[in-house]
């Protein structure tokens, strides 16, 4: 996969998958495009791309065999838990207990088979998810820019690259602007390589000197480019060194050596010892896997120690008798404490969880994040495209000497022919929003608006040319590619027929230099030459505050000369910006000037600071990006789940606050907001960054909205949250977001708009860039955490029950002083085999509890073993043991004649009939209790008969709940059904299980089952009462008052500052 069968002739370095006349670096890009039968403008059609994918194969390196069944099978055998079972089997056969040894052998084989198939399926799932989380590429197909998995890129695809992207294949560049790539992986060259498009090179030149080619797997460090793919998969340059990329690290520890390379003997011994320790740790599972997997592996080792102690107690209670029945009982008692299926069930639960997340638009890149998601207390989210739709439309344009232009409603954001243009001479501060569609001079054509309007033309020149988006018409309608913000601006200028493409082809404008957007300066600029006027012009757009700080001239009246920009007029600009921002518009400023310096050479030769100074202010443009329909509901759910949402955006504070209010991040009204915390609720990055860490820590609350946010602000916000003992998730899409994504407890990258560098730094990736998907991820994380708690609680409760029953049961002795066992060794093994593995896997697949997003975040410090879980384990385990021992006692002494026979542990006789009946009753009780407990664990607090609190099916809802999880249902039913053959089939009952068929004892079993249900239900009821009373102490209020109480009440501010850390710890 990933390459076609080997051709007759070996692949030539630098050639295409299907060789063309010469290697692409030796041909002009137009020739390469033609020979590859590509279209540099509209790219391939979807049908052609699919055809080429079938012809050339997937764009993947041959990275080995993938899922390896043999290794999975070895893992099933070579692990600590299985080793214990093998030792038990050896002991059984060693003392001639062939039946018990055979049963243990069957348990081993069953565990291996079930474990193999379940882990094999889990590995296949994880392997498919790894391919989903691989880098994506931006390709032009059918005239539209789309994001496709790198593996689906084919020769002839037109690919767009920007800073932070990983080059998806070998690409012959068609267009490049300030474009540099890091090729260290390929050439070893540590410095980025500047690329060009027009030059051609000798066909035999080395890879490092092919400056018109971007190589697969290299990283874009600067600029942007567009090109045609000519080689994919193993035919790329990186494909030739794929073996080196696949090399794995040594599994042996290195020997510490002196500077001359020599080493003393003890250093070799040290290295061998550390290597042996690593091997043992891997074997036991304590140094591999996620933190939770390692923790549960350590728990298994602890339980192994407990098992040894239990076995010793059994032997000691029988004076260390050499009787084989005593020895095998001791072995079985020890095995009852071994959670053989624990790690397998955990692996399956995680694999199933990651698969479910994909269905909910979340790709998990690191399994550790699954455990972290349920503990998130704060989400720091971007606005554009995450909380909003990312489909921007230019709604307002203000030119100081002309007035305000407005765009009417449009159903297609990229079609410039939809939506009427209107104009008023009033500035935005004087326009009422209600009069949007009632402008004095609405419905004019763009020709009329442009007639004798030089200021508008100057404004449109900036908007059109300081813009990298491409808007054009095809047979299928209007298409656009590029950044959503720039597309919206390009669509706006296209309404005036002032499209960038027309200006560069028909109006003699040609680009000289480009200075891409920088998150620090918050501007982007270009230099264009006009061949008609022989002038070079600088066109700049960016954040309003930054642009007006770089402007010194402005035209105040149409036809008048430029005048010096005063502070008063800067204030006027800011007032108009506030007016637009208050409508939820994202506002950018446009400026320009004539450039009289030297041109030519590399862009680094220009002084950017000088170029972006002394500009002429041209105007403002307001872009509307409506909130996603689901954002408000998702934010509300976050608040109900005890999660605080922060918006960190590059937009103006007014815009950010308007959107934040619409989605519920800030209170719906300012009326009740305390004056002294208003600044803390919505602030700017400049104000936040000026504060020291100590000053930030003294804030009553951290900001809910930070506007004009920079990457360093995001990092400081994460650190501030950590100092308040919060567990933070951070979203990001750009290269500069990588530090904050890595610093966050859960880094969340955008799958559609995110750079590959950001994805690589993240823990999870959102495939739809939607804030609501973050909530999906948190819900799934909590569900998995819940389910892990459920099956661990079930497993350990069962272990406690068996241990107590078996150890306390040693007190029952016959006349010879030998213990009469309440459960036979094979019965113990049967209970382990039937009631643990499959039901626990079913619990791992349970859906989320109805109240899962109404609880506070989980504590990772406490982990799965909360106080509630530990108490539950003891209560359920002891209650089951008490009932089992009581059933044994009732049958043996209550209705029977006590222990009359000898050697009732070894064989059946008339004298031992009562013991065998009592043992059978105890066996059935324990099995039923363990199976019933699995159903009770579906919800750890709600009644088994009322797990869905809002259901109207008062008497039958439990039937639906039981049937819903069919894996668990059939696992429990199988446990019930298989009891009967063990009881009533001759030889199997007396010889193997050491019990006999029962009759009236079923009455005891039914009573004990009712008592078990009653006890569990009473315990759950007591827990509900306790937690309800605890909740009442916090008081009841509407959600907004509860969430924003510290903002809405000035009296709470002073106490909040003091109690912040303690409050977060408690949460």
């Amino acid at each position: 996969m990933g390459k076609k069968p080997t051709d007759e002739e070996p692949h030539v370095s630098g050639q295409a998958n299907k060789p063309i006349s010469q290697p692409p670096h030796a041909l002009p890009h137009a020739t390469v495009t033609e020979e590859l039968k590509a279209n540099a403008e509209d790219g391939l059609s979807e049908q052609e791309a699919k055809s080429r994918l079938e012809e050339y194969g997937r764009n993947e390196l041959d990275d080995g065999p993938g899922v390896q069944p043999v290794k999975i099978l070895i893992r099933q055998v070579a692990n600590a838990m299985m080793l214990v079972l093998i030792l038990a089997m050896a002991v059984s056969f060693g003392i001639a207990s062939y039946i018990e040894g055979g049963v243990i052998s069957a348990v081993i084989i069953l565990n291996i088979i079930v474990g193999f198939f379940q882990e094999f399926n889990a590995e296949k799932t994880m392997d498919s998810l790894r391919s989903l989380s691989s880098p994506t590429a931006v390709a032009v197909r059918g005239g539209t820019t789309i994001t496709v998995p790198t593996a689906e890129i084919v020769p002839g695809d037109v690919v767009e690259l920007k800073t932070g992207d990983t080059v998806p294949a070998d690409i012959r560049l068609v267009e490049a602007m300030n474009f540099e790539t890091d090729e260290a992986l390929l050439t070893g060259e540590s410095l980025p390589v500047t690329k060009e498009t027009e030059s051609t090179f000798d066909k035999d030149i080395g890879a490092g000197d092919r400056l018109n080619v971007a190589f697969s797997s290299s990283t874009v460090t600067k600029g942007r480019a567009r090109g045609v793919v000519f080689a994919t998969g193993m035919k790329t340059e990186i494909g030739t060194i794929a073996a080196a990329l696949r090399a794995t690290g040594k599994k042996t520890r290195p020997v510490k050596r002196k500077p001359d390379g020599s080493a003393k003997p003890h250093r070799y011994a040290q290295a061998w010892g550390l290597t042996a320790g690593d091997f043992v740790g891997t074997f036991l599972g304590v140094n591999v896997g996620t933190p939770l997997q390692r923790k549960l592996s350590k728990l298994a080792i602890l339980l192994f120690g407990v098992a040894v102690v239990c076995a010793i107690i059994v032997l000691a209670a029988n004076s260390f008798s050499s009787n084989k029945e005593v020895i095998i009982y001791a072995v079985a008692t020890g095995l009852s404490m071994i959670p053989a299926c624990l790690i397998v069930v955990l692996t399956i639960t995680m694999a199933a969880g990651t698969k479910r997340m994909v269905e909910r638009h979340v790709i998990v890149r690191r399994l550790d994040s699954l455990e972290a998601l349920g503990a998130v207390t704060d989400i720091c989210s971007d606005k554009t495209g995450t909380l909003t739709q990312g489909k921007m439309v230019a709604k307002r344009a203000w030119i100081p000497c002309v007035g305000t232009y407005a765009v009417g409603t449009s159903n297609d954001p990229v079609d410039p022919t939809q939506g009427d243009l209107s104009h008023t001479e009033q500035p935005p501060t004087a326009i009422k929003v209600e009069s949007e569609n009632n402008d004095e001079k609405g419905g004019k054509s763009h020709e009329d608006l442009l007639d004798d309007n030089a200021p508008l033309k100057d404004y449109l020149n900036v908007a059109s040319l300081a813009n990298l988006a491409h808007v054009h018409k095809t047979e299928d309608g209007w298409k656009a590619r590029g950044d959503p913000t720039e597309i919206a601006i390009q669509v706006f200028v296209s309404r005036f027929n002032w499209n960038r493409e027309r200006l560069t082809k028909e109006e003699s404008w040609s680009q000289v230099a480009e200075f891409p957007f920088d998150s620090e300066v918050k501007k982007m600029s270009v230099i264009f030459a006009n061949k008609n006027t022989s002038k070079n012009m600088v066109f700049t757009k960016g954040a309003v505050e930054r642009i007006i700080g770089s402007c010194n001239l402005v035209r105040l009246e149409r036809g008048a000369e430029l005048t010096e920009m005063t502070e008063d007029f800067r204030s006027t600009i800011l007032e108009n910006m506030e007016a637009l921002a208050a409508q939820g518009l994202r506002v950018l400023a446009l400026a320009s000037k004539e450039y009289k310096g030297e041109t030519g050479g590399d862009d680094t030769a220009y002084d950017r600071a000088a170029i972006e100074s002394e500009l002429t202010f041209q105007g403002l443009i307001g872009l509307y990006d409506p909130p996603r329909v689901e954002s408000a509901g998702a934010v509300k759910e976050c608040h109900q789940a005890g999660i605080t949402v922060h918006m960190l955006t590059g937009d103006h504070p007014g815009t950010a606050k308007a959107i934040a209010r619409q989605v519920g991040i800030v209170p719906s009204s300012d009326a009740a907001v305390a004056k002294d915390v208003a600044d803390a609720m919505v602030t700017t990055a400049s104000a936040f960054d000026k504060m020291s860490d100590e000053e930030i820590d003294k804030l009553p609350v951290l900001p809910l909205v930070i506007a004009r946010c920079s990457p360093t602000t995001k990092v400081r916000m994460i650190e501030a949250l950590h100092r308040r003992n919060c567990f933070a998730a951070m979203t990001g899409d750009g290269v500069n977001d990588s530090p904050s994504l890595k610093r966050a407890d859960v880094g969340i990258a955008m799958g559609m708009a995110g750079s590959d560098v950001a994805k690589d730094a993240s823990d999870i990736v959102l495939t739809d860039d939607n804030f609501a998907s973050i909530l999906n991820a948190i819900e799934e994380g909590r569900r998995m955490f819940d389910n892990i708690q459920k099956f661990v609680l079930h497993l350990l409760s069962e272990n406690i029950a068996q241990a107590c029953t078996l150890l306390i049961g040693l007190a029952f002795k016959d006349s010879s002083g030998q213990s009469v066992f309440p459960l036979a060794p094979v019965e113990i093994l049967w209970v382990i085999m039937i009631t643990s593995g499959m039901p626990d896997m079913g619990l791992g697949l349970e859906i989320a509890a109805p109240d899962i997003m109404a609880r506070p975040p989980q504590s990772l410090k406490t982990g799965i073993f909360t106080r509630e879980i530990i108490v539950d384990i003891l209560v359920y385990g002891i209650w089951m043991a008490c009932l089992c021992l009581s059933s044994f006692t009732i049958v043996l002494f209550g209705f029977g004649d006590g222990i009359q026979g000898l050697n009732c542990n070894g064989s059946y006789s008339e004298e031992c009939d009562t013991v065998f009946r009592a043992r059978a009753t105890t066996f059935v009780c324990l099995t039923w209790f363990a199976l019933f407990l699995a159903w009770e664990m579906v919800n750890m607090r709600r009644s088994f008969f009322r797990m869905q609190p809002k259901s109207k099916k008062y008497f039958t809802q439990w039937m639906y709940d039981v049937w819903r999880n069919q894996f668990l249902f059939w696992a429990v039913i199988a446990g019930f059904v298989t009891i009967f053959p063990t009881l009533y089939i001759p030889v199997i009952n007396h010889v193997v299980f050491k019990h006999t068929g029962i009759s009236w004892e079923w009455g005891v079993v039914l009573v004990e089952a009712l008592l078990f249900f009653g006890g569990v239900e009473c315990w759950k009821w007591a827990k509900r009462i306790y937690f309800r009373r605890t909740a009442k102490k916090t008081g009841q209020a509407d959600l907004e008052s509860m969430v924003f109480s510290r903002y809405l009440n000035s009296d709470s501010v002073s106490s909040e500052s003091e109690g912040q850390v303690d409050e977060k710890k408690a949460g």
Side-chain angles (χ1 to χ4, degrees), residues 26-171:
L27 297 171
H29 59 73
T31 306
V32 175
T33 304
E34 183 181 348
E35 293 195 24
L36 290 172
K37 297 179 181 178
N39 184 326
E41 191 65 33
D42 291 335
L44 302 174
S45 66
E46 285 291 348
Q47 186 175 356
E48 177 64 18
K50 186 176 180 180
S51 172
R52 295 195 184 195
L53 186 62
E54 292 175 358
E55 178 183 357
Y56 296 110
R58 291 171 67 81
N59 177 30
E60 295 172 333
L61 298 178
D62 184 12
D63 57 354
V67 179
Q68 295 177 278
V70 175
K71 283 192 173 181
I72 295 173
L73 184 60
I74 291 171
R75 280 204 299 271
Q76 301 310 307
V77 179
N79 65 71
M81 297 300 102
M82 195 58 65
L83 182 61
V84 173
L85 288 172
I86 292 170
L87 288 173
M89 179 186 69
V91 170
S92 301
F93 285 125
I95 61 174
S97 291
Y98 298 115
I99 293 175
E100 287 79 4
V103 172
I104 296 175
S105 300
V107 172
I108 291 171
I109 293 169
L110 186 66
N111 265 336
I112 289 173
I113 292 172
V114 172
F116 170 79
F117 282 107
Q118 294 289 353
E119 193 167 336
F120 178 72
N121 289 331
E123 283 281 339
K124 284 205 300 184
T125 300
M126 295 307 297
D127 194 56
S128 66
L129 296 183
R130 276 190 286 273
S131 66
L132 283 177
S133 65
S134 63
T136 54
V138 177
V140 180
R141 290 192 178 164
T144 303
T145 303
I146 62 172
T147 301
V148 297
T150 297
E152 295 178 13
I153 291 293
V154 297
D157 257 329
V158 175
V159 173
E160 295 186 347
L161 302 167
K162 65 181 184 304
T163 304
D165 285 351
T166 298
V167 180
D170 284 359
I171 297 171

Side-chain angles (χ1 to χ4, degrees), residues 173-214:
L173 297 174
V174 173
E175 175 187 322
M177 184 58 63
N178 296 337
F179 189 66
E180 294 181 0
T181 62
D182 180 357
E183 298 177 355
L185 188 66
L186 184 71
T187 65
E189 177 61 49
S190 59
L191 295 175
V193 179
T194 302
K195 298 292 182 176
E196 51 191 73
T197 59
E198 301 304 323
S199 303
T200 58
F201 303 92
D202 185 81
K203 66 177 183 178
D204 296 323
I205 199 169
D209 295 320
R210 299 171 194 166
L211 301 182
N212 54 11
V213 170

